[in-house]
Structure formats: structure tokens, C-alpha cells
Amino acid sequence: KSIWSSGGRLLTSVRLFDVYTGKGVKKHSKSLSFSLTLQSSSRNLTDKEVETVLNEIVAALQEKGGQLRPGLN
């Protein structure tokens, strides 16, 4: 829900494709990997638009306690 609500009108698809627990992930935590599709039906998106949407999604997940793995930001 956090991804969808923060992704705005350009986010057209969200798919969880991996859940990992194990080495490199804190005890009682999970690493979740999502595939996101951002698109407009009328034009190409700019890098700035994509970056803005992704930053909004990351911020929303961080408010819920999520965090990017080191090296991914």
C-alpha cells in the first residue's frame, strides 16, 4: 500500500519478486525486492520525473521503518 499510495499516477505496476532472510540481513528482518513500472500513456518520462517518484516511494517506506540496503541509494 505504501508503494502504491506514494507512487502517484505514473506508477502502473508493482511486483514483489524476492524475499530474502539470511546472511547480511539483520535478525528478524527481511530484504524485499520489488519491480516497479512507471509510465505515461502519452509521453516519455524524464529522468527527473522517475527520480522524484522513486524518492517519494523510498521516503514513504522509510516512514514505515524500511531502509535501503547499503550501496543502493
Side-chain angles (χ1 to χ4, degrees):
K1 286 185 177 184
S2 292
I3 294 174
W4 277 112
S5 62
S6 60
R9 60 182 169 62
L10 298 176
L11 181 63
T12 60
S13 172
V14 177
R15 183 177 66 89
L16 174 66
F17 68 87
D18 188 46
V19 178
Y20 174 75
T21 57
K23 186 177 181 177
V25 177
K26 293 179 184 176
K27 190 175 183 178
H28 305 297
S29 294
K30 299 180 216 177
S31 175
L32 306 176
S33 297
F34 292 92
S35 170
L36 308 175
T37 302
L38 303 174
Q39 69 184 127
S40 168
S41 62
S42 62
R43 61 186 174 75
N44 292 334
L45 300 179
T46 65
D47 290 343
K48 180 69 174 165
E49 287 174 307
V50 172
E51 182 180 348
T52 298
V53 171
L54 293 179
N55 287 339
E56 290 291 327
I57 291 169
V58 169
L61 294 173
Q62 287 173 333
E63 287 178 13
K64 301 273 187 185
Q67 51 187 222
L68 286 177
R69 286 184 294 175
L72 296 180
N73 47 355

